[in-house]
Amino acid sequence: MPFLGQDWRSPGQSWVKTADGWTRFLDEKSGSYVGDLSSFCKKDDHNKENLFNSLNYDVAAKKRKKDLMNNKAKIQYFHQEKWIYVHKGSTKERHGYCTLGEAFNRLDFSSALLDSRRFNYVVRLLELIAKSQLTSLSGIAQKNYMNILEKVVQKVLEDQQNIRLIRELLQTLYTSLCTLVQRVGKSVLVGNINMWVHRMESILHWQQQLNNIQITRPAFKGTTFTDLPLCLQLNIMQRLSDGRDLVSLGQVAPDLQVLSEDRLLWKKLCQYHFTDRQIRKRLILSDKGQLDWKKMYFKLIRCYPRKEQYGDTLQLCRHCHILSWKGTDHPCTANNPETCSTSLSPQDFINLFRF
């Protein structure tokens, strides 16, 4: 008698269920039992050959499909829903947890680049991933990352805006890859090393293209920035959140150079990005005994992170834990879904997938 819970039917034999229970399958022609599939195949070499041909055909078809996917690596992986449920553990309904790569594939960052309110957000997110999260992306997510990065570069080459921002992104990515490629024997990168070397060559090519950009002067000959009253010029310059933009603007014309050195302008810039406590720790006096707000700003940005502000951000619903862009409909059961949404900075988005 077999042990309790043990399957007493041999896996190599054929059985049929009858009224009296399970019975071994009887070959009607030979009058004997069929012991296993291998003995059955030996009786007909022609069928065996067809079986192997069929298996070889399936393997070849799968290989062609895989090669086709690799050749179309620049195709973005689209999903019908433009949101993703963020879960950090296994439940009865869902197994496993949501990864950074899954969210990166699902949230349609390619379309977000076309929105001026989301462009800086996406670029900042790409930079943070380049600094520390490349090894956490799946192979598909890495392909999407490089595809989106190429679209960013092409957009900048066309409209000639945000050049410095993308240069810094490419330099950050190239520096990270140089470090990771040197550790190739430790399985820190997904994919063949030659593929990553090719990607690094692409980054160098993009950097060269950005360096060769020749800014074309617009054909419009109406009122220019320097034609505005000084108070309006100063008011516009106060809207710039990056001190490097102020320095660049001051190099355009001598009059703008004088405005770009305005102490009140740099003071407001420091107070916008940093707390009073941070400012008191980095006080710098000028030769006249006054606070040198310009020098203090550039010293502060080396010590503390600057305040980030974006026109549009990703939103996390606290009620249903769904992540999406602002304005994207998702199946929320809350009475007032808008009150449940929380804006996420790019760093908050990265932290959401750290376990």
Side-chain angles (χ1 to χ4, degrees):
M1 178 177 292
F3 293 105
L4 184 63
Q6 180 182 357
D7 189 358
W8 51 270
R9 299 186 300 275
S10 173
Q13 298 176 350
S14 299
W15 295 77
V16 293
K17 189 173 183 180
T18 65
D20 298 329
W22 287 92
T23 307
R24 292 177 62 184
F25 177 73
L26 180 64
D27 189 351
E28 296 180 355
K29 293 183 179 180
S30 62
S32 60
Y33 292 102
V34 178
D36 52 45
L37 293 178
S38 61
S39 61
F40 177 76
C41 293
K42 290 179 181 178
K43 294 180 182 179
D44 193 343
D45 293 337
H46 177 70
N47 290 339
K48 181 177 180 180
E49 182 179 356
N50 289 340
L51 175 63
F52 286 136
N53 288 338
S54 177
L55 291 175
N56 291 334
Y57 174 79
D58 291 341
V59 172
K62 290 180 179 179
K63 186 176 185 303
R64 285 195 300 270
K65 183 178 181 181
K66 182 178 180 180
D67 292 340
L68 180 63
M69 294 297 293
N70 289 334
N71 292 334
K72 295 183 177 180
K74 293 185 177 182
I75 296 178
Q76 176 78 12
Y77 291 82
F78 292 104
H79 296 266
Q80 183 177 1
E81 298 87 4
K82 301 305 179 183
W83 50 265
I84 186 170
Y85 174 76
V86 180
H87 51 106
K88 295 189 176 182
S90 298
T91 63
K92 294 182 179 179
E93 296 79 12
R94 295 179 181 271
H95 176 69
Y97 55 88
C98 180
T99 65
L100 174 63
E102 290 179 82
F104 192 78
N105 292 336
R106 291 281 296 273
L107 294 175
D108 195 13
F109 288 98
S110 294
S111 300
L113 290 173
L114 305 178
D115 191 334
S116 58
R117 299 171 302 170
R118 300 175 179 177
F119 181 84
N120 287 354
Y121 187 97
V122 176
V123 171
R124 176 58 177 166
L125 182 58
L126 293 176
E127 183 181 6
L128 291 177
I129 293 176
K131 285 183 177 179
S132 61
Q133 301 298 318
L134 280 176
T135 56
S136 65
L137 298 182
S138 64
I140 294 178
Q142 289 174 359
K143 289 180 181 179
N144 283 340
Y145 181 93
M146 295 303 298
N147 295 339
I148 293 173
L149 181 61
E150 183 176 6
K151 292 181 180 179
V152 169
V153 174
Q154 295 302 322
K155 185 178 186 300
V156 173
L157 291 174
E158 292 174 2
D159 57 27
Q160 298 183 342
Q161 298 180 12
N162 301 297
I163 298 176
R164 185 185 65 243
L165 189 65
I166 307 308
R167 281 176 179 169
E168 295 174 353
L169 168 60
L170 293 178
Q171 185 59 42
T172 299
L173 177 59
Y174 188 81
T175 302
S176 297
L177 288 180
C178 287
T179 303
L180 294 174
V181 167
Q182 293 174 359
R183 300 165 54 193
V184 64
K186 300 181 180 180
S187 301
V188 295
L189 288 174
V190 177
N192 188 281
I193 182 62
N194 295 327
M195 176 186 66
W196 284 103
V197 171
H198 174 71
R199 289 174 176 174
M200 293 176 68
E201 292 174 350
S202 298
I203 295 173
L204 291 176
H205 175 65
W206 294 335
Q207 288 178 322
Q208 187 63 38
Q209 286 182 306
L210 292 177
N211 291 334
N212 293 335
I213 287 182
Q214 298 292 332
I215 304 296
T216 57
R217 190 176 185 88
F220 178 72
K221 297 182 179 180
T223 303
T224 63
F225 182 76
T226 55
D227 295 331
L228 298 174
L230 293 180
C231 59
L232 290 181
Q233 293 182 27
L234 189 60
N235 187 276
I236 293 174
M237 295 173 73
Q238 290 176 354
R239 301 295 188 271
L240 299 177
S241 60
D242 194 330
R244 293 170 298 180
D245 293 332
L246 286 177
V247 175
S248 299
L249 185 58
Q251 296 173 351
V252 175
D255 293 340
L256 294 178
Q257 172 66 26
V258 176
L259 286 180
S260 65
E261 298 293 335
D262 185 79
R263 293 182 63 254
L264 182 59
L265 190 65
W266 289 98
K267 178 181 178 180
K268 290 185 176 181
L269 194 60
C270 289
Q271 293 175 340
Y272 173 77
H273 285 290
F274 309 107
T275 64
D276 292 338
R277 183 178 180 181
Q278 292 172 339
I279 293 175
R280 287 196 299 268
K281 289 183 177 181
R282 299 292 185 272
L283 295 178
I284 299 178
L285 296 179
S286 64
D287 297 336
K288 298 180 180 180
Q290 298 177 331
L291 291 177
D292 195 328
W293 290 100
K294 182 178 179 180
K295 290 184 178 180
M296 288 170 55
Y297 170 81
F298 286 106
K299 187 174 183 179
L300 286 166
I301 62 175
R302 292 194 296 267
C303 301
Y304 308 105
R306 290 178 298 174
K307 181 179 179 180
E308 297 180 6
Q309 188 173 9
Y310 304 97
D312 197 1
T313 64
L314 288 170
Q315 305 278 323
L316 178 66
C317 181
R318 299 188 303 272
H319 180 78
C320 57
H321 300 283
I322 285 181
L323 184 65
S324 64
W325 286 104
K326 185 177 180 180
T328 303
D329 294 330
H330 66 272
C332 185
T333 58
N335 294 330
N336 192 358
E338 295 182 357
T339 61
C340 301
S341 296
T342 302
S343 297
L344 297 181
S345 68
Q347 187 61 60
D348 293 335
F349 176 82
I350 297 293
N351 295 340
L352 198 62
F353 300 97
R354 287 180 175 173
F355 305 108

